[in-house]
Amino acid sequence: MQRKVDAIIADFPILARPTSRGKRLVYLDSAATSQKPRVVIQALVDYYEQYNSNIHRGVYEIAERATAEFEQARVKLATFIGADVPEVVWVRNTTEAINLVAYSWGNVNLKAGDAILVTELEHHSDLVPWQLLCERTGAELRFIPVDDRGVHVLDDLDRLLDGCKLLAIAHVSNTLGTIAPLETIVPRAHAAGAVVLVDGAQGASHLPVDVKALDADFYTFSGHKMLGPTGIGVLYGKRALLEAMPPFLSGGAMLRTVEYAHTTFSEPPRKFEAGTSNIADAIAFGVAADYLRDVGMDWVREHERQLTGYALQRLAEFESRGLAIYGPRDPARTSGVISFNVADIHAHDLASILDTEGVCVRAGHHCTMPLMDKMGWAATARASFYIYNTEADIDALCGGIEKAARVFGV
């Protein structure tokens, strides 16, 4: 396994550069955004240097190549998640995908007296759009609770689902790494008559995903969290749902016929892709999917499981000095994310000291302010792992924590 990790690390140019302090870069913030392999970077350069043109319009050589590469990237992402090609809609990111569903599906299907069910773990992007949808329609917003370890409590699930039209749930918590028991929740939601949207921003990048097996009605994810560029993402939707939904945005590229008084729209997915798409980044996202496919998502999952287990073991050495680890302590129930605090050291101060050692972690509320309030945490430090991380990175993290402990006298 180490030989494979070494080969992967060599594919990421940024990991070869030292920090301004001359330290080795130890990147432990992949839950925020992943680093990019050279082949993804090169795909962007190739588009702009060799065949930059608009798509679905020109009949000249480079335009036809751009269109072919763009649509082939859609095929790659559909294959990556086990979807049919017309069910893959290009969006900017997970946030836009969720808003698309909230407006296009939600405005039509929700009314006063209905309910939307989410969990207490949700990222703001999978919470605020539903709050606004409830305000527009008069629907009720309900929550699946989590325990003090951030594990879903399903004792009242059937009661919470009663009258629900939509369940929206994160596949993996970006703050605690908790993996949602979708195999239990999705069938019960469907039995109650609810449509299910899975926020896969932290799922598709770290776990093998088959949307047909999950039976998700919608599944969303972003390119930048899975080795791809920023500004590109995917909304998967079951074809029957997409066909019934009105457009989210309107304009060029998503039309069949236009008259002065009437317009007919293209079939999905193009019905939801108004205007000029993010062509270069979609193509590079397809290259990122190829890269992950070649690495193997089962390997990705096992590598992160082992790293998480090692990190939990090493961090536990500091518990006698006030280090608190949040979230599930079982690597089988988490996906490469550990949130923690050290005594009374503020998370931002801890992250700043770690930065002096070249170690990059996130500090703050991680776009889950309601969860932080529930748990009583002002902020946490968060280390998140990916395919290019090693046990040596965990050791560097612990070395930085030791330095912080000395500085603050804990």
Side-chain angles (χ1 to χ4, degrees), residues 238-268:
K238 289 182 177 177
R239 188 163 186 169
L241 288 170
L242 294 178
E243 288 175 345
M245 289 160 54
F248 175 45
L249 300 173
S250 58
M254 43 79 74
L255 310 165
R256 179 176 294 161
T257 62
V258 180
E259 303 169 4
Y260 281 118
H262 180 70
T263 295
T264 60
F265 301 106
S266 300
E267 294 297 312

Side-chain angles (χ1 to χ4, degrees), residues 78-356:
T79 302
F80 189 81
I81 60 171
D84 296 331
V85 175
E87 298 174 318
V88 170
V89 179
W90 292 119
V91 290
R92 288 184 302 161
N93 44 43
T94 301
T95 300
E96 182 175 73
I98 293 170
N99 276 275
L100 190 161
V101 175
Y103 279 90
S104 183
W105 183 88
N107 283 357
V108 172
N109 290 280
L110 269 289
K111 63 183 186 306
D114 293 333
I116 299 171
L117 182 60
V118 298
T119 83
E120 292 182 333
L121 289 174
E122 299 311 307
H123 188 283
H124 296 163
S125 293
D126 197 31
L127 173 58
V128 177
W130 310 125
Q131 292 175 340
L132 295 177
L133 177 58
C134 287
E135 290 177 8
R136 293 196 300 272
T137 62
E140 174 191 1
L141 189 60
R142 301 174 184 167
F143 294 87
I144 296 174
V146 295
D147 64 17
D148 59 1
R149 280 288 170 191
V151 175
H152 303 83
V153 178
L154 304 181
D155 297 349
D156 290 333
L157 181 59
D158 293 330
R159 180 185 62 80
L160 289 168
L161 283 167
D162 185 28
C164 273
K165 289 289 187 69
L166 175 75
L167 166 69
I169 184 170
H171 197 168
V172 176
S173 165
N174 70 297
T175 298
L176 300 176
T178 310
I179 300 173
L182 297 180
E183 68 284 354
T184 297
I185 295 175
V186 173
R188 288 168 70 175
H190 283 155
V195 167
V196 177
L197 179 144
V198 178
D199 172 357
Q202 302 292 340
S205 48
H206 300 279
L207 305 172
V209 172
D210 182 333
V211 291
K212 304 293 188 184
L214 286 176
D215 199 21
D217 298 294
F218 299 104
Y219 193 96
T220 71
F221 55 103
S222 298
H224 74 98
K225 294 184 188 292
M226 48 188 291
L227 309 184
T230 57
I232 191 71
V234 162
L235 167 66
Y236 158 80
K238 289 182 177 177
R239 188 163 186 169
L241 288 170
L242 294 178
E243 288 175 345
M245 289 160 54
F248 175 45
L249 300 173
S250 58
M254 43 79 74
L255 310 165
R256 179 176 294 161
T257 62
V258 180
E259 303 169 4
Y260 281 118
H262 180 70
T263 295
T264 60
F265 301 106
S266 300
E267 294 297 312
R270 290 185 63 184
K271 177 168 67 171
F272 301 103
E273 296 175 357
T276 296
S277 296
N278 192 347
I279 303 165
D281 290 337
I283 293 167
F285 192 7
V287 173
D290 284 342
Y291 188 97
L292 286 171
R293 182 203 62 207
D294 291 343
V295 169
M297 292 307 296
D298 289 328
W299 183 91
V300 172
R301 171 62 183 143
E302 178 59 20
H303 175 64
E304 292 182 1
R305 188 193 65 78
Q306 292 186 22
L307 270 185
T308 302
Y310 181 73
L312 289 169
Q313 175 187 333
R314 287 297 324 273
L315 290 172
E317 298 171 10
F318 293 90
E319 287 183 312
S320 62
R321 300 168 71 178
L323 187 144
I325 301 172
Y326 309 121
R329 300 290 287 267
D330 180 0
R333 303 183 72 174
T334 63
S335 178
V337 173
I338 300 177
S339 279
F340 61 95
N341 278 316
V342 180
D344 59 355
I345 305 173
H346 193 281
H348 291 154
D349 293 329
L350 176 60
S352 294
I353 291 176
L354 289 170
D355 179 53
T356 66

Side-chain angles (χ1 to χ4, degrees), residues 37-84:
R38 190 173 284 102
V39 290
V40 169
I41 299 168
Q42 190 61 47
L44 293 169
V45 174
D46 287 348
Y47 170 78
Y48 286 117
E49 287 189 345
Q50 298 180 25
Y51 59 102
N52 173 46
S53 56
N54 217 321
I55 55 173
H56 301 141
R57 294 169 175 82
V59 296
Y60 47 89
E61 179 182 331
I62 61 173
E64 289 185 342
R65 180 182 174 188
T67 298
E69 296 281 359
F70 178 82
E71 291 301 336
Q72 183 57 32
R74 194 192 307 271
V75 173
K76 291 176 180 179
L77 269 299
T79 302
F80 189 81
I81 60 171
D84 296 331

